[in-house]
Amino acid sequence: MYRKSLFILFLLCSCAFSVWSQSDSTEYGFVDTTIVQSLARQIDGAQVIIHQDSVLDIRLSRNSGSLKTDNEGNIVTQGYRIQFFSDNKRNSRDEAENRSDIVAENLPELPIYVTYLSPFWRLRVGNYRTYEEANTQMWLLKKKFPQYAVEMRIVKDEIVLPLYKEE
């Protein structure tokens, strides 16, 4: 009887500890997968900016396994992009390319992707590992391109991260 009571008490304590430890990260509506993500979160107006190799980020990730790469050896993984345009009208291709030219003219360093996934033409920009990173950039882009601000949104997409190469 004493052992059963002790076992039940142990289970209750372990469940309470599990809920308590998760409440720290879920208090702000997110769950961190690495210590780096935890440190880089913006909380109460303060944020730590971490500059690190993308390979290290992949290796620290819980879902690290085999790396998917493109033809140039860059890492292809799940992340976020900012969608500028999506439509399926007759002139949608021209509109996507026109907007692409405008963005490229003003921000030549920003990766731009014009894609067709039947029946929609889409214009997406950037390669962001976290939603927060994409959100910060989206607000800057909304200020720079107010005429497109209503249509801008953050979408999940396959992103391309350059591998660090020593010279």
Side-chain angles (χ1 to χ4, degrees), residues 35-111:
I35 185 67
V36 176
Q37 285 180 341
S38 177
L39 290 172
R41 299 264 180 218
Q42 183 173 354
I43 299 175
D44 298 330
Q47 182 178 13
V48 175
I49 298 174
I50 299 172
H51 300 279
Q52 72 172 11
D53 183 12
S54 59
V55 173
L56 181 60
D57 191 43
I58 299 292
R59 294 212 175 159
L60 288 174
S61 176
R62 288 184 185 168
N63 59 357
S64 64
S66 61
L67 295 178
K68 187 175 171 185
T69 57
D70 66 3
N71 295 339
E72 298 169 9
N74 297 316
I75 298 171
V76 178
T77 186
Q78 285 296 310
Y80 300 91
R81 289 196 172 134
I82 300 166
Q83 185 165 290
F84 258 70
F85 175 78
S86 178
D87 206 349
N88 64 348
K89 295 179 184 167
R90 284 183 188 248
N91 66 341
S92 294
R93 179 180 186 174
D94 295 335
E95 182 65 24
E97 289 176 355
N98 287 340
R99 289 186 187 193
S100 169
D101 293 341
I102 292 169
V103 173
E105 184 178 305
N106 288 290
L107 299 167
E109 72 283 352
L110 190 65

Side-chain angles (χ1 to χ4, degrees), residues 130-143:
T130 64
Y131 184 89
E132 291 82 8
E133 188 180 1
N135 193 36
T136 301
Q137 185 66 32
M138 183 178 69
W139 287 107
L140 295 172
L141 290 171
K142 282 186 174 189
K143 288 179 184 174

Side-chain angles (χ1 to χ4, degrees), residues 5-19:
S5 299
L6 193 57
F7 180 71
I8 291 172
L9 181 63
F10 173 75
L11 284 176
L12 288 173
C13 289
S14 63
C15 289
F17 178 75
S18 174
V19 169

